[in-house]
Amino acid sequence: MLLAERPMNGYQLRFEFEARTGATWPLNIGQAYTTLQRLERDGLVVPHPDEDSEVFGLTENGVAAVRAWWESPVERSRPARDELAIKLTLAVTAADVDVARVVQSQRTESMRMLHEYTRLKADGRASGSGDRAWLLLLDSLIFQAEAEVRWLDHVEATVMRDRRLVAPTSGNDQKEVPTARSTGARQ
């Protein structure tokens, strides 16, 4: 995508990517060069020797691939790996984990980040120099943090409800606690 503007080397690509995304997702320089090598192998870029370093420019196929990327939606059929979702799904199945504590710890962090993103957005707007791309990225991060807090609330409520449904009896036996649903009473 960035190479559609001008030929660049890996360091220039990293700088442009991080500048345009507010360094939200730092790019490893090795990853930039590995990607350039893969794109060259696939016939999407060609090297252009420069005075200081080798820069890469798009081929015709590369230009077509960039155009197709812009015009195609991002597929969400396979969810991205989410460490928090993995952590909580494992926590609710582990016998010796205090799920409420895990949720509360994460909620504290999520709220901290929500406040930080909101502050950054307010600062960007107040300065009058708010970069539109950066402000939109902050909006995305704010929406994600809000959704994460809502999901944590849901996890906590579900776990607490499940604990009420299964009350311990003597020993390791558990019995279901009668609820409106199990007794057929109207809710």
Side-chain angles (χ1 to χ4, degrees), residues 7 17 34 63 102 113 124 135 145 148:
F17 179 81
T34 299
V63 170
V102 174
M113 291 310 303
L135 292 175
E148 185 170 287

Side-chain angles (χ1 to χ4, degrees), residues 14-183:
R14 182 178 87 178
F15 176 81
E16 286 294 324
F17 179 81
E18 290 180 357
R20 293 179 189 209
T21 61
T24 303
W25 303 281
L27 183 62
N28 177 299
I29 192 62
Q31 181 183 2
Y33 278 105
T34 299
T35 300
L36 284 170
Q37 290 170 350
R38 183 181 51 80
L39 292 172
E40 182 181 12
R41 179 201 68 209
D42 294 345
L44 301 174
V45 301
V46 291
H48 298 284
D50 193 341
E51 295 175 19
D52 298 327
S53 66
E54 188 172 58
V55 296
F56 294 82
L58 292 176
T59 63
E60 285 184 29
N61 287 342
V63 170
V66 168
R67 189 175 310 114
W69 184 73
W70 284 121
E71 294 171 357
S72 301
V74 174
E75 292 184 23
R76 302 281 191 198
S77 58
R78 203 167 95 198
R81 184 180 173 99
D82 182 337
E83 186 175 348
L84 176 58
I86 293 168
K87 184 178 191 176
L88 285 172
T89 56
L90 293 174
V92 299
T93 61
D96 60 345
V97 175
D98 183 351
V99 177
R101 176 178 265 155
V102 174
V103 168
Q104 185 55 43
S105 173
Q106 185 62 46
R107 183 185 291 111
T108 300
E109 174 60 15
S110 299
M111 291 300 294
R112 185 185 72 75
M113 291 310 303
L114 178 59
H115 291 296
E116 178 65 13
Y117 297 145
T118 303
R119 184 193 62 75
L120 288 169
K121 185 174 176 185
D123 290 350
R125 284 194 171 156
S127 70
S129 64
D131 173 14
R132 184 185 315 198
W134 173 238
L135 292 175
L136 289 172
L137 178 58
L138 286 170
D139 283 337
S140 175
L141 296 171
I142 288 167
F143 294 152
Q144 289 174 35
E146 289 171 340
E148 185 170 287
V149 170
R150 284 193 315 273
W151 183 66
L152 290 167
D153 291 344
H154 172 74
V155 169
E156 185 175 55
T158 300
V159 168
M160 295 307 290
R161 183 192 69 232
D162 290 349
R163 282 188 185 156
R164 285 191 305 269
L165 290 176
V166 179
T169 60
S170 63
N172 290 335
D173 297 338
Q174 295 180 339
K175 68 174 187 174
E176 185 175 331
V177 175
T179 63
R181 177 173 286 154
S182 66
T183 61

